[in-house]
Amino acid sequence: MTRRRFLTLTGGAAAAVAGSGLLAACGTSTTPTTGGAGSVTFPEYAPATLVKPDLPATADGVMAGFYEYPANLATAFTSKPGEGLGNVTVLTNMFNPVPPSAGSNAYWQEVNNRLGATLDITMTPSADYLSKLSTIIAGGQLPDLTLISSKLAHRADVLTRMCADLSEFVSGSAVKDYPFLANIPRDAWLPTAYGGGIYGVPIPRGIAGTIFFSRNDLIRARSLNNAPASYAEFVTLAEGLTDAKANRWAFGGIKRVIVFVGTMLGVPNTWKAEGGKFVSEFETEQRKEAVARTAELYKKGLFHPDSLGGKLQVRDLFGNGTIALHGDGYAAWDTMAAAYKAAEIGAMPAPKAEGGGIAQHPAGAAAFAITAVKKGDKARIKQLLKICDWLAAPLGTTEYMFRKFGIEGTHYTMQNGKPVLTDKGKVEVKLPLEYVIDAPPVLGPGDKARVDAQRAYQEKVVPTMLRSPADGLYSATAVDKAGEMSKIIDAAELDIVSGRKPAAYWDEAVAAWKKAGGDAARAEYEKAVSS
């Protein structure tokens, strides 16, 4: 299959990203490979023992916690993991400015020295990454290590036809040869499974996912309850926090409130499976009710008046006290605490709507993306995995401190127990290694009270986590049609919450969603489960 033929079939790289099919780059078949865990034996989870955190991680996904950067660092590698590999090509995305090239970057040079190999990294801004990746795939030659986005159309075919099946190297106890890959929790490995094999290494994220943050100082100032035990108590809290004359409201964004209310009502995490049949969250009465109840909250005036526009700087409004409740990713806790030092930030577990304890919370995506390894001889694949293992060495190791902050005295200095980048470090230590492979995220290091609060929240919520039955499965339609399908749901939510449409309109929107791809995605998931 030539590049010209590929582009003819797909209408160019941009069309491939939009969903016309990257599988043509990999062979002549036009039938998508069935994705899914199937008979895959995932790596055995083995928490790293080289470093002892203040609060150890748990097997179900509660993150390890550190109050301070360990003073006595452990050395994880006594030899260079890439020795003899020569040039190692890498394709990944980035969110920072491009760092100086290897020839003028002391940090990059030292990375190569410590690996014993030359990293040739192609860095592409995140907004352009899918287009760049599709072009590389069309050329028929992948780099040694390639970040595979969850949004890549027909990624199952790309992975199974162009990338190495890593099963024999990392399945079960075999992963013990790579102790820091073994330190990555099982949930993060689910997106690596396709056609009965493991086709990548995950870039792990915390399963806690989205958190509903609260301004506890504002709640306490009004003598309100920051831990509502039912939906009725949640409404009472929101009403008590809203004072339009004082430019204060309970909520900013619409979507996160719908999700939080839905969690109280027992909405499934994306899908639920019943006897091998999949039912979308959108098809449930609970999801319909969550939208209707959010519309009632909006009618009560509990949202910022510009909430429907989608252009609010919600974090800033939360930080300055204009809104008091805000849904955001778990990592935002530290970011907001650093930016808004006067704010006392808490996290609110969702109660069951009628009371009786904490509701089941939807598990977040446990992997940002996966990194695939190019097909090749076993010896080279094993060494590339050793490089991945080095990149996954955890906090408390010399490898981690170097990866994140560079060379002490050159790129950073320790001040009050914390690494602070020098001017040189701020420029050179921008190599996006964390978007190749990274260690599992941790809580801290930081203020002990905040780390303890973060840990307490996760200990309450993570045991309730509701996984999606689609985790570890692949649907080409769910990827290819994601944008179109999301627009239907998002528009319907805004129409109903704003009062432009009645709650009954939800059924019409769901019917359109099913026609746009929902039914096809369901069929593909059901096929993946039964195969």
Side-chain angles (χ1 to χ4, degrees), residues 141-441:
Q141 288 294 324
L142 288 182
D144 291 306
L145 300 171
T146 304
L147 182 143
I148 303 294
S149 168
S150 62
K151 297 179 181 179
L152 177 65
H154 297 288
R155 66 182 181 272
D157 292 272
V158 173
L159 289 165
T160 56
R161 297 173 189 270
M162 299 184 75
C163 305
D165 183 350
L166 305 178
S167 300
E168 65 176 291
F169 308 107
V170 299
S171 289
S173 61
V175 78
K176 292 180 180 178
D177 288 340
Y178 312 97
F180 304 119
L181 299 185
N183 186 46
I184 297 175
R186 182 182 182 278
D187 281 297
W189 286 94
L190 290 175
T192 69
Y194 293 88
I198 295 176
Y199 284 91
V201 179
I203 301 172
R205 293 292 184 266
I207 200 170
T210 297
I211 294 177
F212 209 66
F213 292 106
S214 56
R215 281 291 302 269
N216 284 351
D217 50 334
L218 302 180
I219 293 172
R220 185 172 56 253
R222 296 198 169 210
S223 300
L224 298 168
N225 177 15
N226 69 350
S230 65
Y231 177 76
E233 291 186 14
F234 174 70
V235 175
T236 298
L237 170 63
E239 290 174 334
L241 288 168
T242 300
D243 183 352
K245 292 181 180 179
N247 199 39
R248 294 185 181 276
W249 292 270
F251 311 119
I254 298 290
K255 173 71 77 172
R256 296 291 170 84
V257 175
I258 292 173
V259 172
F260 191 72
V261 172
T263 300
M264 292 190 231
L265 294 169
V267 171
N269 184 355
T270 313
W271 296 90
K272 67 177 179 179
E274 298 174 341
K277 301 297 182 182
F278 275 57
V279 177
S280 167
E281 62 167 304
F282 303 129
E283 298 173 292
T284 65
E285 285 301 313
Q286 295 97 320
R287 188 63 164 78
K288 181 178 180 180
E289 184 179 351
V291 176
R293 290 201 185 193
T294 303
E296 293 172 358
L297 297 175
Y298 184 82
K299 190 174 182 180
K300 287 176 178 285
L302 305 181
F303 282 86
H304 188 284
D306 296 329
S307 293
L308 295 178
K311 296 182 180 180
L312 287 178
Q313 298 298 319
V314 182
R315 280 190 186 179
D316 289 341
L317 294 176
F318 180 76
N320 66 29
T322 302
I323 64 172
L325 303 172
H326 165 54
D328 209 329
Y330 68 87
W333 198 329
D334 288 332
T335 303
M336 292 190 296
Y340 314 113
K341 298 186 185 299
E344 182 185 332
I345 299 173
M348 185 184 298
K352 294 179 180 178
E354 302 304 320
I358 295 175
Q360 282 192 291
H361 287 63
F368 169 79
I370 69 173
T371 292
V373 180
K374 182 181 178 180
K375 283 185 177 180
D377 66 83
K378 290 184 179 181
R380 185 171 180 84
I381 290 172
K382 290 173 73 172
Q383 264 199 288
L384 289 171
L385 287 174
K386 276 294 184 185
I387 288 178
C388 292
D389 199 45
W390 184 86
L391 291 169
L395 176 67
T397 63
T398 57
E399 291 80 3
Y400 178 96
M401 287 298 288
F402 169 70
R403 284 200 327 269
K404 299 295 183 181
F405 305 107
I407 303 167
E408 186 172 5
T410 299
H411 297 106
Y412 76 96
T413 59
M414 294 300 292
Q415 299 178 19
N416 299 319
K418 297 180 180 179
V420 178
L421 290 174
T422 64
D423 289 342
K424 188 179 183 70
K426 291 175 183 177
V427 173
E428 293 190 346
V429 187
K430 294 295 184 182
L431 210 59
L433 298 178
E434 69 271 26
Y435 296 111
V436 182
I437 301 295
D438 204 356

Side-chain angles (χ1 to χ4, degrees), residues 468-491:
S468 169
D471 288 346
L473 304 177
Y474 176 73
S475 160
T477 302
V479 175
D480 300 354
K481 301 291 186 180
E484 179 183 349
M485 293 160 67
S486 293
K487 286 180 181 178
I488 293 170
I489 295 299
D490 292 346

